[in-house]
Amino acid sequence: MANAQMKPVAALLLFLNFCMYAIVLGIGAWAVNRAIDYGFIIGPGLKLPAHFSPIYFPMGNAATGFFVTFAMLAGVVGLASAIAGINHIRSWNASSLPSAASIAGVAWTFTVLAMGFACKEIELEIRNARLMYKEAGDRLLPVVVLLA
């Protein structure tokens, strides 16, 4: 494999990557829990509200549901990429690199998609204060993943 002196740097970036994805996943889980607890309540006649959306969030705006959904997908795939990265750092040979790189590419793609929805949510301007931290994290994650 390439330079073994880069192993500690890769491990540090992998640890940062893991922490960032865990934070995004935690805040996303909070948002989904809040949406389930305070979302639409179907009446006794089981009639849906006029503008029912399965991705409705009581906080934020119209882009919040998509943003949180794709951010959680990015968080789960990102944690999987961190596990593949740990396996690659442990073995540190050319045969473990393709699996780690491919899952990292998928995680980066989901993260960029979530970042696009975060930009749309910011453009619409009505959002929860806690979600602003998640948006900031999703804007920083593609850079961290690209470096790792």
Side-chain angles (χ1 to χ4, degrees):
M1 189 71 201
N3 195 354
Q5 294 172 344
M6 294 302 290
K7 201 172 181 181
V9 175
L12 174 68
L13 288 174
L14 183 65
F15 177 73
L16 280 172
N17 197 2
F18 181 83
C19 290
M20 293 283 287
Y21 276 120
I23 291 169
V24 165
L25 195 57
I27 296 174
W30 166 83
V32 169
N33 184 39
R34 186 158 172 86
I36 290 170
D37 288 345
Y38 299 107
F40 284 124
I41 298 172
I42 299 174
L46 296 178
K47 294 181 181 178
L48 293 175
H51 300 289
F52 177 74
S53 171
I55 309 178
Y56 169 75
F57 279 77
M59 70 285 214
N61 52 35
T64 303
F66 298 103
F67 164 60
V68 171
T69 302
F70 283 103
M72 286 193 60
L73 277 172
V76 169
V77 176
L79 289 177
S81 74
I83 292 169
I86 290 169
N87 182 38
H88 172 63
I89 287 176
R90 237 183 49 222
S91 61
W92 201 254
N93 57 25
S95 64
S96 65
L97 181 60
S99 63
S102 64
I103 192 71
V106 172
W108 186 78
T109 304
F110 274 124
T111 304
V112 169
L113 185 60
M115 185 183 74
F117 283 118
C119 291
K120 183 64 178 174
E121 185 177 13
I122 290 168
E123 180 187 334
L124 294 177
E125 293 183 3
I126 304 169
R127 59 191 191 277
N128 190 316
R130 289 188 182 151
L131 286 177
M132 288 190 295
Y133 294 115
K134 187 169 176 52
E135 292 162 359
D138 277 350
R139 284 186 169 200
L140 182 62
L141 268 177
V143 176
V144 173
V145 172
L146 189 59
L147 290 175

